[in-house]
Amino acid sequence: EHHLKGNMENHTRVTEFILIGFKSHLGSQLLLSVLFSTMCIVTVVGNACMIHIIRMESKLHTPMYFFVENLSILDICYSSVFTPKAALTFSLGRRIISYNGCASQMFFFSLFGTTEAFFLAVMAYDRFTAICNPLLYGIIMNKRLCVFMVVGSYLSGCINCTIQTGFTFSLSFCGPKEINHFFCDVPAVMHASCSDTLVNEIVMLAVCGSIIVGTALLVFISCVYIIITIVQMPSAESRRKAFSTCSSHMLAVSLFFGAVFFMYAQPGAISSPDKSNTISILYTIVILVLNPFIYTFQNKEVKGSLKKQLERK
């Protein structure tokens, strides 16, 4: 038995994986490479500008912008987990990723993705308090609570990514080492394993499902209360003002949760990697690029500050 186990160990020790997502002809490889590189630069520059504007403008030192600033920092980290590697994969055909590299990519991708979901829920609560409880807003959303919510979001992300990465990499990988994706996402890596993945799928659905449903529900309930409150406002001007502070957040939220729901919260996410590949491009890149623009262009205060700083320059 011991000998057999030793044999199994030899057999299962995979030290690297090959990312075979979007392995089509050269033209589209170059196009994807340019796309990923551009998106990466735009995400970093856009979010860095957002952070700079918020830091420089004392008018924006409010709980809402404290969360937007933290969301921008998160998006920069998030995009740097996989876009540089993906760009290299498509331009130079470097499709090999080490076992540890794959595990750490999954760990950080899950960490930042989960944290983003909690951030959006926290920001929805912030808007809910501002619009439905304006008189107590300053007292409720104090500095301590804001910091606590940001740290709490990261801790929740940590718990989830530890569970996801731990469970996925406790599987054995013995056959072809190919991962049908352009980065080490949980369903794709699970699909490459030669163990029975039923328990993992249940864990993924339970944990990711409850996080997605929980945070989305919080966002949804906040939005419903906000809309009811806005509709009941006496003047058209106050309705317009209240709606404009929330519209950007609602847009960011719908994009994020819509895509995430398609990726993880439906059974069969593991069985149809091709479909999830396309959605994950939309989810990961497009949303990261759009966030700073959503919060800038939908927002008078940010636009005003941006103008002021450009004139100063």
Side-chain angles (χ1 to χ4, degrees), residues 3 6 23 43 48 50-51 99 105 108 147 154 158 176 180 187 189 205 240 245 253 269 272 274:
H3 176 72
K23 207 171 181 178
T43 304
M50 198 74 191
I51 296 164
Y99 184 87
Q105 200 181 43
F108 287 111
V147 171
Y154 272 105
C158 248
N180 191 356
V189 176
L205 267 177
R240 194 192 56 74
T245 60
V253 162
S272 59
D274 286 335

Side-chain angles (χ1 to χ4, degrees), residues 26-100:
L26 202 66
S28 61
Q29 294 289 305
L30 284 171
L31 184 73
L32 280 167
S33 172
V34 171
L35 181 78
F36 271 82
S37 310
T38 311
M39 294 301 201
C40 186
I41 294 161
V42 173
T43 304
V44 172
V45 172
N47 283 296
C49 287
M50 198 74 191
I51 296 164
H52 177 71
I53 292 167
I54 294 168
R55 294 242 165 116
M56 296 303 286
E57 185 60 68
S58 55
K59 215 171 52 185
L60 301 180
H61 293 175
T62 62
M64 176 181 164
Y65 289 105
F66 174 71
F67 295 130
V68 171
E69 183 187 347
N70 276 285
L71 184 71
S72 293
I73 294 168
L74 182 71
D75 283 347
I76 290 174
C77 297
Y78 200 2
S79 76
S80 52
V81 169
F82 63 91
T83 38
K85 172 75 186 151
L88 276 179
T89 299
F90 294 129
S91 56
L92 306 175
R94 287 193 183 160
R95 294 186 168 271
I96 289 171
I97 186 166
S98 71
Y99 184 87
N100 294 341

Side-chain angles (χ1 to χ4, degrees), residues 111-255:
L111 168 66
F112 298 134
T114 313
T115 307
E116 179 130 353
F118 280 100
F119 264 16
L120 292 173
V122 162
M123 289 165 83
Y125 176 73
D126 169 70
R127 293 297 80 211
F128 160 76
T129 314
I131 285 170
C132 304
N133 221 337
L135 297 176
L136 292 173
Y137 179 69
I139 298 162
I140 297 171
M141 298 304 290
N142 55 48
K143 187 79 196 203
R144 234 178 89 193
L145 181 71
C146 294
V147 171
F148 175 75
M149 284 170 145
V150 167
V151 173
S153 300
Y154 272 105
L155 283 176
S156 312
C158 248
I159 294 166
N160 180 42
C161 69
T162 307
I163 294 171
Q164 299 298 346
T165 313
F167 264 85
T168 306
F169 282 89
S170 64
L171 296 168
S172 351
F173 298 93
C174 46
K177 304 170 291 188
E178 293 178 341
I179 293 173
N180 191 356
H181 213 314
F182 58 88
F183 69 97
C184 289
D185 195 18
V186 180
V189 176
M190 229 187 263
H191 203 243
S193 151
C194 52
S195 317
D196 179 27
T197 57
L198 182 67
V199 175
N200 289 62
E201 291 187 40
I202 293 167
V203 169
M204 186 180 89
L205 267 177
V207 180
C208 288
S210 56
I211 289 170
I212 295 162
V213 171
T215 48
L217 234 135
L218 203 121
V219 168
F220 179 71
I221 293 166
S222 301
C223 286
V224 169
Y225 272 102
I226 287 168
I227 290 164
I228 292 169
T229 309
I230 290 176
V231 169
Q232 289 171 347
M233 283 175 177
S235 75
E237 176 57 26
S238 54
R239 278 200 297 269
R240 194 192 56 74
K241 204 175 155 196
F243 184 71
S244 77
T245 60
C246 287
S247 55
S248 52
H249 185 64
M250 285 178 183
L251 182 60
V253 162
S254 345
L255 276 172

